[in-house]
């Protein structure tokens, strides 16, 4: 993670986070370890808990704890233990939070403890939906909506890692199969493109007319989910909404259909509906639960939890380098203060710096505008000299 490393080195010499209490509710992975180490190098006191009961890499949690960091995360922790860990971070009274799904900052608001905070950051679309519905008592920087994040994390990260999770769990050959992507935001676009690259016929289901048009123009079949339900071999929800696949869809699916969710919360596939339809449920492989509907079986991956982290290792380090560089610089910006309450875009200079550093780490050089071009682009009404 060369971009994050360069930020960590600068943080270690400048100490921009000296005395700042940071609480992070993130997937506890090797990539997250590098982020929290960078924040600690900048002078922050960091505490970390999991953003999902199934995404913690226990060896990483143990290594960070050995380094002296407060880490409250165990893979497979139940809902009560998970909530207890979030509450412990709330009780510590952080100055800055980092969230992946908004559980921590929501709990701070519920406990009336968000008012004095410098602010928080949010890594996901699902989390921002929650935060925009809240009367925020502090600023939040929408890392998920940074340009670098959408391009790199959502499209290339989710595109690859969601399929990685599906393939690790099932060992399916996608070539020759029909894969249905529900949701064609940046992450859905990535899943659709990568699935096509592996030889699948891809159907896209989308409620936004412009996105649906883009999917069609990109060459994918586009149709309502109830029609796609009859056609798909593999279904991937990536919408940020709930009840995207319900009993109506399950009733039409083919024998052997595989159901995976790549959205943050386990609400996109209606798990209660699936259980209600089933005569028998059994684990046929690790992370593959088979629901016997009498005449057909449907296979649910990773309990409907975010499949790229639950069944694989999340986005590769090269992707999280960009996301977490943005997170680190967003925390630094919050620590300087001055943001009003509410959700704000990540400042454009941070986006630009991260993209520049990432290009440099890849050895890619680009052109810059000449002074003449800059002048031309400033003059919109009379371009002639
Ligand atoms: N979100 C998606 N992939 C991740 C990873 N590898 N680490 C932390 N959060 C993630």
């Amino acid at each position: 993670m060369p971009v994050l490393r360069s930020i960590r080195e600068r943080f270690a010499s400048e100490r921009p986070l000296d005395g700042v209490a940071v609480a992070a509710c993130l997937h506890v992975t090797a990539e997250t370890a590098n982020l929290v180490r960078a924040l600690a190098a900048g002078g922050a006191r960091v505490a970390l808990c999991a953003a999902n009961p199934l995404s913690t890499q226990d060896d990483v949690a143990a290594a960070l704890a050995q380094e002296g960091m407060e880490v409250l995360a165990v893979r497979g922790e139940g809902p009560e233990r998970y909530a207890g860990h979030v509450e412990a971070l709330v009780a510590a009274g952080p100055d800055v939070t980092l969230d992946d799904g908004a559980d921590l900052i929501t709990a701070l608001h519920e406990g009336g403890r968000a008012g004095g905070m410098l602010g928080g950051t949010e890594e996901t679309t699902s989390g921002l939906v929650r935060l925009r519905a809240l009367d925020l008592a502090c600023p939040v920087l929408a890392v998920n909506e940074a340009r670098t994040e959408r391009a790199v994390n959502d499209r290339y990260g989710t595109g690859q890692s969601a399929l990685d999770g599906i393939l690790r769990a099932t060992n399916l050959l996608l070539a020759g199969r029909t894969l249905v992507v529900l949701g064609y935001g940046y992450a859905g676009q990535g899943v659709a493109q990568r699935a096509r690259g592996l030889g699948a016929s891809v159907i896209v289901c989308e409620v936004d007319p412009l996105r649906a048009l883009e999917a069609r123009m990109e060459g994918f079949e586009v149709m309502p989910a109830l029609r796609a339900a009859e056609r798909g071999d593999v279904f991937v929800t990536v919408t940020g909404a709930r009840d995207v696949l319900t009993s109506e869809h399950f009733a039409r699916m083919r024998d052997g259909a595989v159901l995976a969710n790549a959205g943050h919360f386990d609400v996109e596939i209606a798990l209660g509906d699936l259980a209600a339809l089933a005569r028998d449920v059994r684990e046929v492989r690790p992370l593959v639960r088979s629901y016997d509907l009498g005449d057909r079986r449907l296979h649910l991956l990773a309990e409907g939890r975010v499949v790229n982290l639950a069944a694989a290792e999340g986005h590769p380090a090269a992707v999280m380098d960009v996301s977490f560089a943005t997170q680190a610089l967003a925390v630094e910006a919050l620590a300087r203060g001055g943001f009003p309450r509410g959700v704000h875009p990540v400042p454009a200079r941070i986006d630009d710096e991260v993209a520049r550093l990432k290009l440099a780490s890849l050895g890619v050089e680009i052109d810059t505008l000449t002074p003449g071009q800059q002048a031309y682009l400033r003059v919109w009404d009379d371009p002639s000299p």
Side-chain angles (χ1 to χ4, degrees):
M1 301 175 80
V3 178
L4 192 56
R5 190 196 312 127
S6 68
I7 292 169
R8 177 177 169 173
E9 284 163 5
R10 179 172 68 75
F11 275 12
S13 70
E14 295 178 6
R15 306 276 295 178
L17 306 178
D18 252 342
V20 178
V22 172
C25 180
L26 298 172
H27 301 294
V28 180
T29 66
E31 292 75 30
T32 299
N34 282 335
L35 170 61
V36 293
R37 285 175 181 139
L39 300 175
R45 274 179 289 117
V46 186
L48 173 65
C49 72
N52 185 300
L54 270 191
S55 62
T56 297
Q57 295 169 3
D58 286 333
D59 52 346
V60 171
L64 287 172
Q66 231 167 32
E67 290 168 23
M69 199 166 289
E70 187 183 356
V71 185
L72 300 169
V74 181
R75 186 178 170 90
E77 62 195 14
E80 275 168 30
R81 199 164 179 201
Y82 175 85
H85 288 159
V86 174
E87 280 309 321
L89 263 58
V90 168
D95 302 312
V96 175
T97 57
L98 294 91
D99 262 294
D100 190 314
D103 282 350
L104 176 57
I105 197 162
T106 304
L108 277 154
H109 278 79
E110 284 165 359
R113 306 187 68 143
M117 278 176 37
L118 290 164
T121 66
E122 174 52 49
E123 175 78 22
T124 63
T125 307
S126 308
L128 287 172
V129 169
R130 283 175 94 181
L131 293 178
R132 290 198 163 105
L134 207 67
D135 181 19
L136 281 173
C138 64
V140 171
L141 294 183
V143 169
N144 178 253
E145 292 172 358
R147 283 165 64 220
T148 42
E149 180 79 0
R150 290 194 145 154
V152 181
N153 181 304
D154 292 0
R155 197 176 295 136
Y156 301 111
T158 306
Q160 176 170 311
S161 64
L163 291 176
D164 185 19
I166 293 167
L167 299 182
R168 286 195 205 193
T170 61
N171 199 25
L172 268 184
L173 178 70
L174 281 189
R177 313 237 182 194
T178 299
L179 183 139
V180 179
V181 182
L182 299 115
Y184 196 68
Y186 288 88
Q189 290 166 28
V191 173
Q193 285 169 3
R194 270 38 193 168
R196 176 160 64 187
L198 285 167
S201 304
V202 176
I203 297 175
V204 170
C205 306
E206 170 57 63
V207 295
D208 178 285
L210 177 56
R211 285 184 178 165
L213 181 60
E214 286 177 312
R216 187 69 198 103
M217 296 292 191
E218 199 49 48
F220 300 117
E221 273 195 89
V222 177
M223 64 183 71
L226 279 179
R227 287 231 305 277
E230 295 167 4
R231 300 263 310 274
D233 298 304
V234 180
F235 294 82
V236 188
T237 54
V238 55
T239 67
R242 62 175 305 153
D243 298 331
V244 179
L245 292 176
T246 64
S247 52
E248 283 186 286
H249 304 90
F250 304 140
R252 293 168 187 233
M253 286 181 185
R254 292 164 24 171
D255 184 32
V258 170
L259 312 174
N261 167 47
H264 180 79
F265 291 113
D266 60 350
V267 297
E268 303 208 13
I269 300 172
L271 302 174
D273 285 10
L274 200 49
L277 288 175
R279 296 182 177 181
D280 184 38
V281 182
R282 61 182 69 173
E283 200 88 0
V284 290
R285 286 168 64 101
L287 298 168
V288 183
R289 196 165 285 168
S290 181
Y291 288 77
D292 182 352
L293 307 193
D295 55 344
R296 289 156 307 134
R297 284 171 193 276
L298 303 181
H299 303 302
L300 174 72
L301 304 191
E303 303 170 21
R305 294 192 187 276
V306 60
V307 72
N308 57 358
L309 283 141
E313 292 166 74
H315 303 338
V319 168
M320 296 316 292
D321 194 17
V322 171
S323 303
F324 285 166
T326 310
Q327 286 278 12
L329 297 181
V331 170
E332 182 185 31
L334 286 169
R336 278 200 208 105
F339 289 95
R341 293 155 49 153
V343 176
H344 303 278
V346 169
R349 66 176 167 75
I350 291 182
D351 238 349
D352 288 350
E353 186 180 345
V354 170
R356 244 194 315 274
L357 289 169
K358 186 68 182 174
L359 282 172
S361 79
L362 295 169
V364 176
E365 294 175 25
I366 59 170
D367 294 318
T368 50
L369 292 171
T370 64
Q373 287 172 321
Q374 287 177 19
Y376 173 84
L377 291 172
R378 271 198 304 271
V379 180
W380 59 273
D381 55 348
D382 180 11
S384 56

